Amino acid sequence: FHDKVMRTNGGDARLLSEAGLHQLVFSVNRIDDVHCRAALAFFTLIAYPAFRDGNSRTAQRVADWILTDNGYTPEDHDVEMTGLVQGIANFTVEVADIKEWLRSHYIEKGNFSR
């Protein structure tokens, strides 16, 4: 995901913390709830950057992929997560907040009667 972000948007593609990236993957893969898994990945990549540049953009792509790969689709195809990114940077958004935001902005495919 990060490589795609760097090819599309440019930036410094160097890895900042390989250990942090491994910890993220390990932690996220232990969670059964898909919204919680996506929220933790999103939060962790932004709060504890693994790359020199593109962490927020990568976090958004990873969270979106986790949800879409598990049968969810964004309610609006231009889902904007900028407010969440800002909240993490300002220490006003936690994983639980992100999880609830994702639950309200992604719906199960075929379940359009919310």
Side-chain angles (χ1 to χ4, degrees):
F1 293 103
H2 187 254
D3 287 343
K4 270 187 176 175
V5 166
M6 292 294 99
R7 280 194 306 271
T8 303
N9 302 104
D12 187 342
R14 290 180 289 171
L15 187 62
L16 190 62
S17 173
E18 185 174 352
L21 193 55
H22 285 289
Q23 182 63 39
L24 164 69
V25 172
F26 175 78
S27 298
V28 167
N29 283 326
R30 295 178 47 111
I31 298 172
D32 290 329
D33 179 272
V34 67
H35 293 93
C36 192
R37 190 175 333 130
L40 181 63
F42 184 82
F43 179 86
T44 303
L45 267 173
I46 296 168
Y48 308 102
F51 307 102
R52 295 224 178 225
D53 193 19
N55 291 286
S56 298
R57 293 169 285 168
T58 301
Q60 290 177 46
R61 284 188 176 209
V62 169
D64 184 70
W65 175 79
I66 289 170
L67 289 163
T68 57
D69 193 54
N70 284 278
Y72 290 85
T73 188
E75 204 166 42
D76 173 6
H77 288 284
D78 293 321
V79 172
E80 184 60 53
M81 298 183 188
T82 306
L84 295 174
V85 172
Q86 229 17 67
I88 294 167
N90 294 333
F91 304 103
T92 58
V93 170
E94 297 291 332
V95 174
D97 302 319
I98 299 165
K99 182 175 107 174
E100 290 311 311
W101 189 92
L102 293 172
R103 279 191 197 282
S104 68
H105 287 82
Y106 282 79
I107 55 174
E108 278 187 274
K109 291 178 184 172
N111 184 13
F112 297 102
S113 60
R114 289 201 333 136

